[in-house]
């Protein structure tokens, strides 16, 4: 195996040179948002300076050109996630917007009173609340797949929960709090045996591992640009064409229509049916650039390097006295949630902050998961391929200081 | 003449023209010369959707060849449609499906065939191929 | 009156130096999207390079700092539109997303079968389709205020249409096709006499004229960042607190919740209740920078200069043989919709394109308005404060060529 | 002592401390020294919402002065809460409402009072003022 050129890669991310309180920044909050490589920054910059024009339905050269870049971005995303068709790639405002679109449109069409929507205990609020709202509107019920103490799906329980009333399964590919990589392919297979479609929340997976829609065979897959080294305000909804065609549009507005009269509106074809209003075309192009960047590094190389980081950090954290980890599945990403004995996560976070180490503390938008473990919150360090072993050492030093000061 | 040869002929015609204004004037003339489509075909069923300038297209089988007629409400589009018709009309489905359409690029009008121009020509060419496929299937039976 | 320093202002917009087909760009498609001043471009650039971190619920310095910038952006927008409270400013993905949010949430709560929603004939599809969808869902009816041949609201008809069944009025402040500035203040007053709330679509007004929410007294006001010299993927929903508090949330996800359990979710306070998921915080800060920029120039100065441009262009276009204008209200912005006799708008647009003049042709997402005038589309030139009298002259030359070639 | 004088006293205490670690250690000691709040007040009604570290606050009127007690589950927050209590407790509503709270900035802990820190202290101070307003109104009657 070649050595992963992490130092060279860090050069691509200007922000990694920042100092916080005079200390070099250790950015371990990648689960919240990722930093942007210079290619992405410069692409956005260049569009703003030289190319910006509104897309679609235009005769002028600049607009033609922007439209081309936007539709090329769609192709880049399609290739990146191995989707079958261009029309299956919908640009949204982010993962949350994507899930809301599906929960609403699917709910309106396929949820009846007494029906069930199946999610897991480890879902992010963005994959809970939209389904709660849809269930409430349609008189359907939310069912929850339990998890083990290690933070993995209880597969037997899952099999039993898949029932005649289950209309859709919505499950995260990777847990944003625990790092657990769920066996989504197997879960999809089991659901499909009963003709139940599956939405996979890929917000924490897409940046760490190669995904392939055709192979995974999921019905919907969602993620956010800002978590995959791209800009904010943009995300993806992948949906199988046969599903997207059957769903009513979510939002109304420009671009998503074919003809409008006051009596009746007919809708545009896919993917435009789900892209109401002026889309964030600059964001879309920026995201495609991010995806092109990590594709060049190679998802396999990223995965291997991050696995190395994970094992290194896991070893040190496990050996740290008085530290409890949440999420100890063998198959997980480099996300670590932990609590130091008798130390409030917030205190830990505040002291780490003084070391220039950016972590997140709290419930990580997974309150039901916190309830499952009967805790109020954790400290979360979430790593990615521009992080280093030395940075993990600095985290450990920081934790030692926290212990010295507080435990 | 083969589809290839017609395209070559068009390329030579355009080679004699100067910059965009002459080319557009030529297209405008072609558009004016193209007879209006039979009113029976200037209907929604023959309309190519999803574009600002409307394009109507009809295809009839005469013997083993397809004869296309087309129209547009925009004159430059109509001129381009006339060129496309001239290339494809009176050929067999197999010839049409095998053809490599590259003259538009070569006569410097590429942007009109970019999928982002909402002039309907990309959809028109797609529709021509659909007709060819359909007639080919029909002729097999 | 001071002379408006248009040449100096043009220096702030790098893209205005571009050439198209070797000709200097004349950008007259500002109704579709506006260009970005260097301040906005550099703000986004700097955040990407030095400051990016996810906002809210964090203990680390970078995140604190980003949150501060984001909440400051909200304050800037509040001041810019003269809203009473910070909590009334909601960041959305754009005007279309804002209208969808209101149409959905208002519809769910206040629309019953037989109720009426009142819009005008000149609405953009983004202010038609969301209401159609809401009406369809709730069994309500869409009623339409007619307009005059000049393109103004028929006020008598409006008074008569305001009835016992009218639940909300949704009307554009400025028509994106005609440029008409509607008498929204008076329309709001009339609606309020009957306790009917009013949503104003400010997408084409906010960049041209000073607005004040308290003075206007509208209940909702929406606009997009990209049309007010800011980035794509960001917009504003202003809503009076008493309305926003009564509406259910639109989307579910992170940040908009207070507590989540699988049984019940309670929602966060305003404005967060309506900001689900990671918001486009970089877009929000970019938009605030844009708004700060135009505030410094001064909305009054912009308005006066643009009025001068409008009068100059209107005079030339009216005198042009064989040209029909649509939208001839005395009170209008510098948006011109026209058709040359016997010339398809698309042909006009294609030829103007060759002169480097970017206009838009077609229906401008206002098909019902096209039906009203029994036309298929128009050529639209939409100007703003970085445009010049010389550019208008170039448009006229272009139109002369179109006429020579085609008429 | 006046609110102003207490703040001055705290500023002097901190002036003797070195960089952040000494300050935090001092806060931690203050937090540890602050007695746990009466369990009767460690309830949701007394909880300051919207923050990661939970802060409970109670206020009783003794004569014409308000006595505050507070608690937090995070120790640094609790130390800060102890300082804030020390400044405000045992003063009249009028004094509290007139006070200008600037010591936190001066002791170099400003970021803990930024409205973006979700430690609940900003909300705690707001709540202290609400109590003062409420008691002031009550005393008028
Ligand atoms: C009047 C009007 N309303 C709404 C919109 C929709 O704005 P956006 O596409 O940015 O959501 C537009 C812009 O196209 C508009 O001109
Ligand atoms: C697993 C998961 N799902 C969904 C989301 C929501 O993503 P966004 O906030 O970008 O919409 C997140 C990010 O917070 C996440 O981690």
């Amino acid at each position: 195996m070649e050595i992963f050129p992490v130092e060279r890669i860090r050069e691509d991310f200007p922000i990694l040179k920042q100092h916080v309180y005079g200390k070099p920044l250790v950015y371990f909050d990648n689960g919240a948002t990722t930093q942007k490589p210079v290619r992405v920054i410069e692409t956005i910059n260049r569009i703003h300076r030289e190319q910006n024009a509104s897309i679609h339905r235009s005769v002028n050269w600049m607009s033609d050109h922007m439209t081309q870049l936007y539709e090329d971005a769609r192709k880049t995303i399609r290739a990146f996630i191995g989707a079958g068709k261009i029309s299956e790639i919908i640009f949204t405002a982010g993962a949350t917007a994507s899930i809301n679109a599906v929960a609403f449109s699917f709910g309106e069409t396929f949820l009846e009173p007494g029906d069930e929507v199946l999610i897991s205990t480890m879902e992010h609020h963005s994959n809970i609340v939209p389904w709660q709202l849809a269930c409430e509107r349609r008189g359907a019920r939310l069912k929850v797949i339990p998890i083990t103490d290690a933070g993995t799906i209880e597969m037997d329980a899952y099999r039993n929960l898949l029932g005649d009333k289950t209309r859709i399964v919505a499950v995260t590919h990777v847990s944003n709090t625990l790092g657990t990589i769920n066996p989504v392919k197997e879960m999809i297979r089991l659901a499909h045996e009963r003709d139940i479609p599956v939405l996979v929340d890929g917000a924490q997976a897409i940046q760490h591992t190669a995904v392939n829609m055709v192979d995974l065979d999921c019905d919907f897959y969602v993620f956010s640009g800002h978590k995959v080294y791209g800009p904010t305000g943009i995300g993806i909804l992948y949906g199988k064409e046969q599903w997207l065609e059957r769903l009513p549009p979510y939002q109304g507005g420009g671009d998503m229509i074919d003809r409008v009269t006051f009596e009746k509106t007919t809708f545009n074809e896919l993917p435009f049916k789900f892209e109401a209003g002026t889309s964030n075309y600059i964001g879309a192009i920026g995201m495609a650039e991010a995806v092109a960047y990590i594709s060049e590094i190679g998802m396999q190389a990223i995965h291997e390097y991050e696995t190395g980081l994970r094992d290194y950090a896991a070893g040190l954290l496990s050996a740290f006295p008085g530290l409890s980890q949440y999420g100890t599945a063998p198959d997980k990403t480099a996300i670590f949630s932990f609590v130091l004995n008798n130390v409030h996560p917030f205190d830990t976070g505040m002291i780490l902050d003084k070391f220039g180490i950016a972590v997140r503390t709290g419930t990580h938008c997974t309150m039901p998961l916190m309830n499952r473990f009967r805790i109020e919150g954790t400290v979360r360090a979430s790593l990615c391929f521009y992080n280093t072993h030395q940075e993990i050492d600095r985290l450990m030093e920081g934790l030692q200081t926290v212990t010295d000061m507080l435990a | 003449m083969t589809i290839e040869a017609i395209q070559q002929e068009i390329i030579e015609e355009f080679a004699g023209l100067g910059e965009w204004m002459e080319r557009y004037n030529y297209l405008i003339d072609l558009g004016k010369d193209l007879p209006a489509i039979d009113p029976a075909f200037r209907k929604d069923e023959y309309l190519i959707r999803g574009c600002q300038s409307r394009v109507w297209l009809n295809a009839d089988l005469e013997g083993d060849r397809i004869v296309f007629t087309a129209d547009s409400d925009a004159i430059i589009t109509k001129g381009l449609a006339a060129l496309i018709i001239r290339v494809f009309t009176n050929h067999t489905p197999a010839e049409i499906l095998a053809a490599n359409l590259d003259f538009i690029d070569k006569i410097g009008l590429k942007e009109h065939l970019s999928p982002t121009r909402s002039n309907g020509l990309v959809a028109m060419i797609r529709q021509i191929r659909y007709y060819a496929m359909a007639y080919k299937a029909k002729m097999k039976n």
Side-chain angles (χ1 to χ4, degrees), chain A residues 14-15 18 21 32-35 41-42 45 49-52 54 59-61 96 100 104 108 125-126 130 132 137 144 226 232-233 250-254 257-258 260-262 265 277-278 280-282 346 353 359-361 367-368:
Chain A
I15 207 170
Q18 285 296 306
Y21 306 113
T33 201
T34 52
Q35 301 304 341
I41 301 171
E42 281 310 314
N45 206 9
R49 286 178 179 273
E50 299 172 9
Q51 305 175 310
N52 177 54
S54 192
V59 292
N60 66 70
W61 186 87
T96 301
N100 276 278
F104 177 82
E108 291 291 295
H125 294 163
S126 290
Q132 282 182 324
R137 223 163 25 238
V144 185
H226 72 97
T232 52
Y250 173 50
Q251 297 193 323
I257 54 90
D258 173 32
V260 177
T261 65
F262 289 126
T265 290
T278 304
N280 184 358
Y281 54 90
I282 301 180
F346 199 70
D353 177 42
V359 294
R360 180 146 292 216
T361 61
M367 286 193 196

Side-chain angles (χ1 to χ4, degrees), chain A residues 226-254:
Chain A
H226 72 97
K227 291 190 203 274
V228 60
Y229 313 105
T232 52
I234 187 77
I236 292 292
L237 165 58
Y238 159 83
K240 277 189 189 161
E241 194 177 70
Q242 63 261 44
W243 279 111
L244 293 178
E245 275 180 350
R246 291 160 75 191
L247 298 187
Y250 173 50
Q251 297 193 323

Side-chain angles (χ1 to χ4, degrees), chain B residues 44-118:
Chain B
D44 272 7
E45 303 98 273
Y46 299 90
L47 186 65
I48 311 284
R49 302 303 291 268
C51 36
Q52 281 189 28
S53 53
R54 292 183 295 172
V55 175
W56 295 267
L57 177 71
N58 180 46
D60 286 315
L61 199 62
E62 301 195 352
D64 63 347
R65 282 146 197 280
I66 310 182
V67 174
F68 292 102
T69 52
D71 204 344
S72 172
D73 53 354
I75 195 72
I76 299 174
T77 306
K78 194 170 171 187
L80 282 157
L83 286 174
I84 294 167
I85 292 287
R86 179 170 147 200
V87 167
F88 284 117
T89 201
N90 247 316
H91 287 95
T92 66
E95 284 163 359
I96 292 167
L97 289 171
N100 183 8
L101 196 77
D102 57 4
F103 80 97
I104 299 203
D105 194 355
K106 292 202 176 134
I107 61 179
L109 297 171
K110 182 175 69 183
E111 71 256 29
H112 295 279
L113 273 204
S114 99
T116 64
R117 273 277 149 133
S118 32

